[in-house]
């Protein structure tokens, strides 16, 4: 049975990219503390209540072009889907990305899962010519960079 154009049109789903402007400026990221400070602009209550993950999107000059919330979990973890991260990076033509998540406990120690997902993301992004520049854990007043520590 051949699908007609009308049948296809009735069944197809159109996906669009939605952009929403926020009230804080773009930034140039030159070190992990720049990324942590930038991320605190959009974390709000997430930072002390539950673990959540964001991706910061950068152009070739390491200027931010946007960010996206990837996941929100409980007080001790959240699920990170690499495909969602790459979706945002590709749709926004990002050359680099920085993964950011918080530990509501305030602990600045990377878990084995933090290191594993960062390495997996770095490899997946590499196939798309996108650089994972860092994976950062933040709290209200501190941060821990996996790149600074040589873990990715």
């Amino acid at each position: 049975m051949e699908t007609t154009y009308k049948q296809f049109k009735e069944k197809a789903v159109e996906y669009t990219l939605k952009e929403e402007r926020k009230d804080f400026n773009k930034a140039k990221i030159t070190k992990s503390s720049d990324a942590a400070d930038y991320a605190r602009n959009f974390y709000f209550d997430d930072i002390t209540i539950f673990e959540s993950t964001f991706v910061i999107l950068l152009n070739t000059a390491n200027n931010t072009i946007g960010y996206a919330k990837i996941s929100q979990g409980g007080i001790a973890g959240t699920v990170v889907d690499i495909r969602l991260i790459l979706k945002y990076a590709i749709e926004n033509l990002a050359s680099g990305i920085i993964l950011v998540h918080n530990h509501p406990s305030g602990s600045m120690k990377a878990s084995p899962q933090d290191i594993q997902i960062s390495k997996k993301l770095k490899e997946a992004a590499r196939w798309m010519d996108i650089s994972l520049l860092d994976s950062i854990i933040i709290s209200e007043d501190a941060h821990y960079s996996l790149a600074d520590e040589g873990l990715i």
Side-chain angles (χ1 to χ4, degrees):
M1 181 173 160
E2 190 173 316
T3 302
T4 66
Y5 175 74
K6 183 178 178 184
Q7 290 170 324
F8 173 79
K9 188 175 177 184
E10 290 172 352
K11 295 178 184 177
V13 176
E14 179 183 0
Y15 295 97
T16 61
L17 180 63
K18 180 183 171 200
E19 181 178 283
E20 184 179 335
R21 302 274 179 198
K22 295 294 183 175
D23 282 339
F24 58 94
N25 296 327
K26 294 181 178 181
K28 183 163 187 79
I29 307 295
T30 60
K31 54 189 181 295
S32 61
S33 61
D34 294 341
D37 291 342
Y38 183 78
R40 286 187 190 94
N41 286 305
F42 51 77
Y43 251 89
F44 308 113
D45 290 340
D46 289 21
I47 207 160
T48 59
I49 298 174
F50 40 74
E51 190 166 323
S52 55
T53 302
F54 287 82
V55 63
I56 299 173
L57 308 167
L58 302 131
N59 65 18
T60 55
N62 286 350
N63 293 314
T64 59
I65 56 175
Y67 69 91
K69 188 172 198 173
I70 301 302
S71 65
Q72 178 178 312
I75 59 172
T78 188
V79 175
V80 176
D81 191 327
I82 288 176
R83 293 170 296 176
L84 288 176
I85 295 168
L86 293 178
K87 171 193 180 300
Y88 287 113
I90 292 166
E91 286 178 345
N92 290 283
L93 303 176
S95 296
I97 55 176
I98 298 173
L99 191 64
V100 181
H101 78 282
N102 64 312
H103 286 170
S105 67
S107 169
M108 291 292 100
K109 186 176 188 312
S111 70
Q113 294 84 3
D114 294 338
I115 297 166
Q116 179 186 24
I117 196 72
S118 298
K119 287 180 177 180
K120 187 176 177 183
L121 175 58
K122 184 174 185 168
E123 179 65 17
R126 186 180 66 79
W127 282 98
M128 295 289 149
D129 292 325
I130 299 167
S131 298
L132 174 64
L133 302 171
D134 207 340
S135 182
I136 298 173
I137 301 166
I138 67 169
S139 67
E140 287 181 298
D141 55 5
H143 76 279
Y144 180 89
S145 162
L146 275 70
D148 290 352
E149 298 299 321
L151 297 173
I152 58 168

